[in-house]
Amino acid sequence: MRYFPLFLDVENKPVLVVGGGEVACRKVDSLLRAGAAVTLVSPKVEPYLHDLIVEKKLIWIQNFYSSQLISNDYIQVWATTDNPELNHQVHRDAKNLGILVNVVDDLPYCDFITPSMINRGRIQIAISSGGASPVLVRNIREKLEMALSQNLSVLADFGASKRNSIKEHYSTVDERRKFWEVFLSATEVEQATTREQLESLYQGALKQGIESSGRVTWIEFVDDVELLSIKALRLMQEAELVLYAKECPFSYVDMCRRDAERESFSDSGELSTKLASAKKRQLRVCVMIPPANSTFSLLIGSDTRLSSSKEI
């Protein structure tokens, strides 16, 4: 992974953009959407930018760039001109002041890059190839755009409005997480389009309560992680503890919930000890084991066992 993914709060924070062409139009549009206080330096600008200036949505310094125009008041600097020599000067000036800088389409002169974005209100999904393949990123974005429902913004707004009230019903983070996992996976919730619908479903879910007991799910791994079933993926995302055989491909472990505890085991005896501890703590556990292996049959018992493509 070349770049560390990060969402930066730029609301009401000063950002400098050098250049007034089509590239600047795209960057300024994104920055304004995020609430940044944009200053633009360019002797002339595209009509789109001129309209923003007239509407006083950004500050325009109608002049050629010079080093005196940059200061460490800015949290970001963007060089968007079609003059590489000028862009590199902007880069040097920004680095001398310790400011993060992006020279568009010139990776060696970028402290950060901007990913392709999918926006659903509060929900933002960023996709990046580290600048290696923009067309591939575009294809991925198109697929996600078709797969993701438009009501995600409604769901996100509703969840944000309940951050305090849910604490009146469930005092711990773990209980609240379990409630939201069940609530958001309900078909009626996935199809809801209004706040009123969600409120009714929310009140019903509160009365129903949550399942507090632990469970163990056994998942057989193969070489191709794409053979995992949807059910297996869901249970992996709900797991609080992931126990995996040492030969398990990392791609399986990496698809589990990010904040789940992860521990490897080398034999059934070590696994038995770890499972006993997990059951006392009533954890939701996923165990990754080799396929068609009878070594763990006694430990599995009546637990759910999933292969990479079906339930056994």
Side-chain angles (χ1 to χ4, degrees):
M1 186 171 71
R2 168 73 188 276
Y3 293 94
F4 181 79
L6 180 71
F7 285 91
L8 182 65
D9 180 8
V10 297
E11 187 171 9
N12 296 321
K13 295 181 174 65
V15 175
L16 179 67
V17 177
V18 179
E22 292 183 6
V23 176
C25 290
R26 298 196 301 268
K27 301 307 177 184
V28 168
D29 178 70
S30 296
L31 288 166
L32 292 179
R33 285 172 181 262
V38 177
T39 296
L40 183 74
V41 178
S42 182
K44 58 182 181 179
V45 296
E46 290 289 315
Y48 171 74
L49 294 172
H50 187 268
D51 290 343
L52 294 176
I53 294 163
V54 171
E55 295 169 10
K56 298 184 177 179
K57 292 185 177 180
L58 56 85
I59 298 171
W60 182 26
I61 299 177
Q62 189 176 3
N63 208 334
F64 292 99
Y65 173 81
S66 66
S67 300
Q68 290 72 31
L69 294 175
I70 190 172
S71 73
N72 53 17
D73 291 331
Y74 296 109
I75 67 165
Q76 279 184 342
V77 174
W78 295 78
T80 70
T81 78
D82 57 5
N83 183 337
E85 187 175 332
L86 175 57
N87 286 341
H88 293 168
Q89 179 189 342
V90 174
H91 176 268
R92 288 192 299 272
D93 293 341
K95 297 302 290 182
N96 287 337
L97 292 172
I99 305 171
L100 293 175
V101 59
N102 178 291
V103 176
V104 176
D105 293 331
D106 199 346
L107 279 178
Y109 293 88
C110 292
D111 290 322
F112 61 92
I113 58 175
T114 52
S116 179
M117 295 293 299
I118 296 174
N119 289 295
R120 296 286 192 275
R122 294 173 185 263
I123 301 299
Q124 294 176 290
I125 300 175
I127 311 160
S128 174
S129 65
S133 182
V135 176
L136 175 60
V137 168
R138 186 183 65 197
N139 289 343
I140 295 171
R141 176 182 174 179
E142 290 173 357
K143 292 176 183 177
L144 290 175
E145 286 279 16
M146 291 187 291
L148 295 172
S149 63
Q150 292 294 325
N151 75 336
L152 288 179
S153 59
V154 178
L155 292 173
D157 288 341
F158 183 79
S161 71
K162 297 299 182 182
R163 287 183 65 85
N164 291 323
S165 67
I166 191 67
K167 295 177 183 179
E168 299 174 6
H169 299 273
Y170 299 109
S171 59
T172 69
V173 173
D174 184 62
E175 288 175 325
R176 294 193 290 272
R177 176 174 48 76
K178 288 180 179 179
F179 171 84
W180 286 119
E181 285 175 350
V182 174
F183 178 78
L184 292 172
S185 64
T187 302
E188 297 87 349
V189 171
E190 292 178 347
Q191 296 175 348
T193 57
T194 67
R195 179 180 174 82
E196 290 72 24
Q197 290 174 308
L198 291 172
E199 183 64 38
S200 176
L201 294 168
Y202 176 77
Q203 295 300 329
L206 287 176
K207 292 177 182 178
Q208 185 175 351
I210 59 173
E211 178 186 357
S212 58
S213 59
R215 66 164 182 256
V216 179
T217 303
W218 299 73
I219 297 175
E220 294 183 347
F221 57 80
V222 292
D223 291 334
D224 189 355
V225 71
E226 292 185 2
L227 293 176
L228 276 169
S229 66
I230 294 176
K231 181 176 182 179
L233 283 170
R234 175 174 59 81
L235 293 172
M236 288 161 66
Q237 284 296 311
E238 293 176 358
E240 297 159 305
L241 172 64
V242 179
L243 301 175
Y244 59 96
K246 289 187 176 180
E247 64 268 31
C248 177
F250 179 72
S251 55
Y252 277 82
V253 180
D254 198 40
M255 292 185 75
C256 294
R257 209 178 91 203
R258 290 290 188 231
D259 59 345
E261 299 176 43
R262 304 177 184 190
E263 300 178 14
S264 65
F265 60 87
S266 55
D267 54 49
S268 59
E270 183 180 5
L271 175 59
S272 177
T273 300
K274 292 179 182 292
L275 281 174
S277 174
K279 289 178 179 179
K280 286 182 181 179
R281 296 164 60 192
Q282 293 189 322
L283 298 178
R284 289 181 291 185
V285 184
C286 270
V287 185
M288 306 290 187
I289 58 173
N293 190 311
S294 60
T295 305
F296 307 102
S297 297
L298 291 177
L299 288 176
I300 294 173
S302 60
D303 294 336
T304 300
R305 179 175 178 176
L306 302 173
S307 71
S308 291
S309 59
K310 62 183 180 178
E311 184 170 353
I312 299 175

